[in-house]
Amino acid sequence: MEAATNFKTPCKQDRVKRGSGGSLGTPSSMVIPASPFMQKLGCGTGVNVYLMKRTDKEFQSPWAIKKINSKCAKTQVQVYQKRLDEEAKILKNIQHPNIVGFRAFATAKDGSKCLAMEFGGEQSLNDLIEKRREEGKKAFPAATIQEVALHVARGLKYLHNEKRLLHGDIKSCNVVIKGDFETIKICDVGVSLKLDENMKVNDPKARYIGTEPWKPKEALEEGVITDKSDIFAYGLTLWEMMTLCVPHLDLLECDSEEDDSFDEADFDEDAYYEALGTRPALNMEELDESYQQVIELFSVCTNEDLKKRPSAAQIVEVLEAVMQEPSK
């Protein structure tokens, strides 16, 4: 299997001098504006992400700035700060065109730590899914799903094989898109876990965090976590693009064009928890024969038996052959 050592994300490292402003190479002259002066792009657990537009001659491309949500409870700030510190350290050593690149780790005017990243795109895949559902559309075209599948798989192959890292939270929210799928990048490596030479997480203190609807059976049952845990969540991300829904939340009635509201009283909590870690159903009547390969990929990736799931490298090999693209 071809190594991915030739994958590079431009980082302008010659312009960001190590040691000039911090242990992670933040230039001392860089100023992060206060949150109200930046456009909010999104949010996650305990953090917000902002768009920082830079207008000086040396730096022209915008950055995505991740910082702790000021409304977090004080007892949680330290937890989220530690996670942000870890993400900065991990991201600094990652260079791949399908993973957002590290730019700097700095302190904003309000004293909060900020992780500056490559601006991967205006919208997450989840944003596009929600927009498509609101417009009353159905599944993304099969070719688009295959394109996303290939690029995300390339990013996972790099993380697993080259960096021995489990992403740990693959889902549509953590895939960012620029333009009309011009670039497709994985983001949010803050809960990554180290993999050993057998692609297993062996640290007894390590905990798979993930996001509940995308968790594989082994994570829910405190089983052995491997690279295949990312593959299960990856399969569910393809399912999201075919259904425009969140996995296992069937009672949201995602296919309803008349009422997008959700009555909590009608939610079958027992059925939801029983379904977690399993392969959700597809409405095959809505998917024509062009989706056959995507459906097959989704199915094999979401096998409850992790040993029967493919590796990211195997997925890349198959998709490149199917899509007749040259190896990267």
Side-chain angles (χ1 to χ4, degrees):
M1 188 61 61
E2 182 183 358
T5 52
N6 60 332
F7 284 156
K8 297 291 181 183
T9 298
C11 289
K12 300 183 180 177
Q13 292 177 347
D14 56 325
R15 298 179 182 176
V16 182
K17 298 180 180 179
R18 294 189 180 186
S20 60
S23 61
L24 287 174
T26 301
S28 57
S29 60
M30 193 186 77
V31 177
I32 303 292
S35 301
F37 297 98
M38 295 188 288
Q39 175 189 341
K40 187 175 180 180
L41 294 173
C43 59
T45 305
V47 296
N48 290 327
V49 181
Y50 301 90
L51 176 64
M52 177 180 166
K53 295 182 179 179
R54 301 175 302 147
T55 58
D56 62 333
K57 293 182 180 179
E58 186 176 13
F59 296 104
Q60 294 182 356
S61 61
W63 284 355
I65 304 295
K66 181 181 284 191
K67 60 188 300 188
I68 306 300
N69 188 334
S70 60
K71 295 182 181 180
C72 283
K74 291 183 179 180
T75 55
Q76 292 295 312
V77 170
Q78 188 173 359
V79 174
Y80 297 138
Q81 185 61 64
K82 182 178 179 181
R83 189 178 295 178
L84 192 63
D85 291 345
E86 288 300 315
E87 181 173 7
K89 291 175 183 177
I90 293 169
L91 198 60
K92 181 175 180 290
N93 292 310
I94 290 175
Q95 292 184 341
H96 190 280
N98 294 124
I99 303 173
V100 295
F102 172 85
R103 292 297 179 262
F105 194 52
T107 303
K109 286 186 175 181
D110 60 7
S112 62
K113 292 290 185 180
C114 300
L115 173 57
M117 304 169 289
E118 170 191 16
F119 177 55
E122 299 84 354
Q123 300 179 91
S124 70
L125 178 59
N126 180 259
D127 293 331
L128 296 176
I129 288 171
E130 289 185 352
K131 181 180 179 182
R132 194 171 182 87
R133 185 173 67 242
E134 289 168 0
E135 293 174 348
K137 297 179 180 178
K138 298 296 183 182
F140 284 84
T144 301
I145 300 176
Q146 283 186 322
E147 188 74 13
V148 171
L150 176 57
H151 287 280
V152 173
R154 284 173 175 165
L156 288 177
K157 174 185 174 183
Y158 172 82
L159 286 177
H160 296 168
N161 293 14
E162 299 299 315
K163 293 300 178 180
R164 287 292 190 266
L165 284 173
L166 180 82
H167 181 278
D169 197 17
I170 292 294
K171 57 184 177 180
S172 61
C173 293
N174 287 337
V175 177
V176 288
I177 309 295
K178 183 178 289 184
D180 186 19
F181 294 91
E182 295 162 16
T183 64
I184 301 162
K185 297 176 183 282
I186 298 170
C187 65
D188 200 354
V189 296
V191 295
S192 297
L193 298 174
K194 291 183 179 180
L195 296 168
D196 65 15
E197 65 277 7
N198 296 315
M199 293 294 184
K200 294 181 180 179
V201 176
N202 269 332
D203 184 353
K205 296 181 180 179
R207 186 168 66 93
Y208 183 96
I209 295 177
T211 304
E212 197 169 66
W214 290 265
K215 282 186 176 182
K217 186 73 72 176
E218 62 268 21
L220 294 163
E221 298 178 348
E222 298 185 358
V224 176
I225 302 299
T226 71
D227 60 318
K228 303 298 180 64
S229 298
D230 271 348
I231 299 303
F232 184 88
Y234 165 87
L236 291 187
T237 303
L238 305 184
W239 183 89
E240 289 183 80
M241 295 188 73
M242 288 186 279
T243 64
L244 311 185
C245 292
V246 175
H248 308 304
L249 293 183
D250 304 289
L251 293 181
L252 281 174
E253 297 182 352
C254 296
D255 57 349
S256 173
E257 298 180 11
E258 299 178 0
D259 185 7
D260 258 350
S261 62
F262 172 52
D263 187 347
E264 189 174 350
D266 291 335
F267 181 58
D268 189 338
E269 188 173 1
D270 291 337
Y272 165 72
Y273 282 108
E274 185 177 347
L276 289 178
T278 67
R279 181 188 299 130
L282 281 171
N283 185 346
M284 302 302 292
E285 295 180 358
E286 295 181 355
L287 303 171
D288 60 34
E289 60 183 14
S290 68
Y291 290 89
Q292 180 180 347
Q293 291 169 337
V294 173
I295 293 170
E296 290 175 356
L297 178 59
F298 151 71
S299 297
V300 71
C301 289
T302 53
N303 196 309
E304 290 182 44
D305 184 348
L306 63 88
K307 294 180 181 179
K308 295 182 180 179
R309 299 173 205 155
S311 67
Q314 289 172 326
I315 294 171
V316 170
E317 183 177 8
V318 170
L319 286 176
E320 286 183 344
V322 167
M323 299 172 71
Q324 296 183 340
E325 288 192 6
S327 298
K328 298 292 183 179

